[in-house]
Amino acid sequence: MAGSSAQPNILLVMADQLAPQFTGAYEHPVVRTPTMDALVERGVRFDTAYCPYPLCAPSRYSMLTGQPATAIGAWDNGSELPASVPTLAHYLRLAGYRTTLSGKMHFVGPDQLHGFNERLTTDVYPADFAWTANWDEAADRMGKWWHNMTSLSEAGQALATYQIDYDEDVGSAAVRHLYDMARDTDDRPFFLTVSFIHPHDPYVARPEWWNLYDHDEIDLPDVPPVASLDPHTVRIRHGIEIDTVGYTEDQCRNARRAYYANTTYVDSWLGTLVRVLEETGQLDNTVVIFTSDHGDMLGDRGVWFKMSFFERSARVPLIMAGPDITNGTVPNACSLLDMLPTLLDITGGGTWPDLAEAPAGRSLWESATGGCDPVDETTSEYTGVMTSHPMFMIRRGRHKYIHCDTDPAQLYDVEGDPLERNNLAEDPDHADLASGFAAEVTERWDSDAIREQVLASQRARRVVHAAMEVGDLHSWDFSPSTDATNQYIRNHMDWADAGPRTRYPPVV
């Protein structure tokens, strides 16, 4: 049975675009997340976890590789993760784990496994270069696939959507896989990643989740005057058509209601997976980790979705429960960049496989098991749409610093000003702090060189994509294979053997 070795199993469950501020587990008064709550009650909650890049693909690439997006060319949602870059799935295979992915990982390029032994589903998004940003025309919208106010005007309930279809497949495949591993004789531990698309927009929920919430109980964001907004937020507002289309208060409430409903939906799948672990006798030997790739502004600053370093966009939930994990909260700033060294500590008992490159992050295992983490800082990057120059963030202690060559600097006391309304960058009382952060940005990142790399990559990818649309289509999208000749009952099988072999619990 899986997990009988000394190494624990690992179940990594990911939501998409889930800000921790909108979960019951992080004390939102309305949103129901009973499974996350239960994990927090017996595990550890990281209260200041960030994404390394506030957009889907680059954030996931950084999490998997333990490297910043700018170090691996993860410039935007149309960037390829090179097959030559080792991921945590590669390292866990070397550590003796079976590695499986069910659901979204937004891999772009011909390698659709990146170290996983198998994938149970296709991805929800395309694997080609269609979503490449274009800094040569940085002020223009990205076209038909980009976010817009349709996500709010059409927010509500439905019996089926492509996102519901997808997550039902993802969850069902993962449940089946957990049972399959319980029924087989392979005693290696497993690393199973289950990655859902909800509560990512479109904000549409099935009735049973929608009806958990009352329209009037949905809280509305506190929106500052447009004139007070920073340039990047203004650019995002233009890019998602708020400044031309806009939205109503009812649409805002409907979108948030569906987002809350879909958060509860993801939580229910998390609960199903935990229940199957318990049913198969694996819960006590499995580290369960729940997180997301980034958050959602959800109306704060009058803007939606992600792409910024403000708290609701850049923060992620991070909850761990399982063997050796203590119960409590960790206030230190950390990041998905820390996932790779953390998992290596979980799997190796202090002994890691040989690494191609030192991880950029740090292991959180010490703090997860009751120790003290002396580090209280992390960084994030952005080189996607609605900017023409790289953007960088440093979070250290109570302060956050945001830099872009085209924009005024931003410095916030996130503890004293959690909504980040008071920019301290020009405050004389914080001049030394601001200048120190500015110097650190220059030391950490060569913005001009990164910009040239981004432009060169974008131009090359646009050529490749244009050429691939000419003539026959050769898709990189992952197509799961199914061997029907060896499923269920077939003539080459002994029925008397197949029945007991696939039954769980086994007949004694």
Side-chain angles (χ1 to χ4, degrees):
M1 178 180 290
S4 61
S5 69
Q7 295 172 303
N9 304 310
I10 303 169
L11 172 65
L12 171 62
V13 181
M14 294 189 71
D16 196 322
Q17 204 163 294
L18 177 58
Q21 296 90 337
F22 303 115
T23 68
Y26 283 81
E27 301 175 7
H28 191 279
V30 175
V31 185
R32 299 162 174 81
T33 52
T35 309
M36 294 182 218
D37 299 352
L39 288 181
V40 171
E41 288 174 2
R42 67 180 181 91
V44 63
R45 185 185 73 189
F46 292 84
D47 285 350
T48 316
Y50 287 87
C51 64
Y53 186 119
L55 200 63
C56 301
S59 178
R60 293 163 184 268
Y61 295 177
S62 289
M63 178 191 75
L64 289 169
T65 64
Q67 301 298 328
T70 57
I72 54 175
W75 309 120
D76 53 53
N77 265 353
S79 292
E80 178 182 9
L81 176 59
S84 58
V85 178
T87 71
L88 55 84
H90 289 110
Y91 291 127
L92 265 61
R93 286 177 73 164
L94 291 173
Y97 278 71
R98 292 182 285 175
T99 58
T100 306
L101 169 62
S102 182
K104 176 185 174 179
M105 203 50 70
H106 209 144
F107 291 143
V108 173
D111 185 353
Q112 289 293 306
L113 290 175
H114 289 288
F116 288 97
N117 290 99
E118 59 181 324
R119 291 189 70 170
L120 307 181
T121 71
T122 189
D123 215 305
V124 69
Y125 288 153
D128 60 19
F129 294 146
W131 292 11
T132 298
N134 185 358
W135 282 8
D136 288 316
E137 300 175 0
D140 294 346
R141 275 182 48 79
M142 290 301 297
K144 64 182 181 181
W145 56 267
W146 193 240
H147 301 268
N148 58 39
M149 289 298 95
T150 301
S151 289
L152 275 75
S153 64
E154 297 182 356
Q157 55 181 318
L159 296 176
T161 67
Y162 74 85
Q163 294 199 154
I164 294 171
D165 293 345
Y166 187 75
D167 278 352
E168 290 295 301
D169 285 346
V170 170
S172 297
V175 166
R176 170 71 174 271
H177 189 69
L178 285 173
Y179 283 124
D180 285 346
M181 289 191 293
R183 288 182 290 201
D184 68 27
T185 57
D186 192 333
D187 64 356
R188 291 177 298 163
F190 65 76
F191 171 58
L192 173 61
T193 298
V194 187
S195 184
F196 299 99
I197 183 66
H198 286 97
H200 191 291
D201 63 294
Y203 305 116
V204 181
R206 275 189 55 87
E208 62 265 35
W209 308 111
W210 173 266
N211 290 332
L212 288 175
Y213 296 91
D214 181 81
H215 183 76
D216 295 332
E217 75 174 335
I218 304 302
D219 53 316
L220 293 173
D222 176 27
V223 180
V226 173
S228 70
L229 299 176
D230 63 283
H232 185 59
T233 298
V234 172
R235 291 193 297 266
I236 296 174
R237 284 172 57 88
H238 171 69
I240 63 178
E241 298 183 325
I242 288 178
D243 57 355
T244 56
V245 176
Y247 59 92
T248 67
E249 182 177 298
D250 269 353
Q251 289 171 346
C252 176
R253 205 181 293 271
N254 283 338
R256 288 167 75 99
R257 180 178 179 180
Y259 184 94
Y260 296 175
N262 285 328
T263 298
T264 306
Y265 169 66
V266 171
D267 184 84
S268 74
W269 269 118
L270 175 63
T272 298
L273 296 168
V274 170
R275 187 202 74 220
V276 175
L277 287 175
E278 188 169 18
E279 289 175 346
T280 55
Q282 296 303 302
L283 185 59
D284 291 342
N285 191 39
T286 300
V287 173
V288 179
I289 303 173
F290 180 80
T291 190
S292 180
D293 52 358
H294 51 75
D296 191 321
M297 292 298 287
L298 220 60
D300 184 39
R301 282 179 161 75
V303 73
W304 295 75
F305 318 126
K306 53 271 187 173
M307 302 167 289
S308 83
F309 294 129
F310 293 115
E311 289 291 277
R312 281 154 184 75
S313 167
R315 284 270 308 281
V316 296
L318 182 57
I319 303 168
M320 300 182 188
D324 299 324
I325 295 175
T326 55
N327 181 232
T329 59
V330 177
N332 302 52
C334 59
S335 163
L336 295 181
L337 270 176
D338 304 323
M339 187 70 74
L340 186 148
T342 302
L343 293 189
L344 291 179
D345 270 356
I346 293 173
T347 64
T351 302
W352 292 1
D354 291 336
L355 303 184
E357 189 172 3
R362 68 188 190 275
S363 174
L364 305 178
W365 190 235
E366 178 73 16
S367 53
T369 53
C372 181
D373 185 355
V375 181
D376 186 14
E377 66 179 33
T378 195
T379 61
S380 190
E381 306 172 328
Y382 184 74
T383 55
V385 296
M386 297 302 115
T387 184
S388 60
H389 288 69
M391 302 182 67
F392 311 109
M393 182 205 85
I394 301 173
R395 171 70 196 263
R396 179 174 298 118
R398 64 189 298 145
H399 292 104
K400 177 194 291 183
Y401 186 79
I402 301 171
H403 171 90
C404 181
D405 289 349
T406 62
D407 302 338
Q410 298 176 75
L411 174 64
Y412 297 99
D413 177 354
V414 182
E415 291 184 14
D417 176 26
L419 291 178
E420 301 165 290
R421 299 294 195 254
N422 185 21
N423 184 3
L424 303 173
E426 300 299 327
D427 181 357
D429 291 339
H430 294 81
D432 290 344
L433 183 63
S435 63
F437 274 122
E440 185 175 344
V441 167
T442 301
E443 182 180 347
R444 281 179 176 269
W445 294 283
D446 186 337
S447 184
D448 289 339
I450 291 172
R451 185 171 191 271
E452 291 306 311
Q453 289 178 282
V454 171
L455 285 165
S457 172
Q458 290 175 354
R459 291 162 184 166
R461 284 182 281 142
R462 291 201 301 272
V463 170
V464 172
H465 178 64
M468 290 180 68
E469 290 194 312
V470 176
D472 296 335
L473 172 66
H474 294 281
S475 175
W476 291 333
D477 298 309
F478 182 73
S479 295
S481 59
T482 300
D483 183 9
T485 62
N486 285 300
Q487 287 185 315
Y488 309 118
I489 296 296
R490 297 295 184 260
N491 284 335
H492 66 280
M493 301 176 183
D494 185 335
W495 181 89
D497 173 67
R501 178 171 49 81
T502 59
R503 180 168 171 167
Y504 190 86
V507 176
V508 178

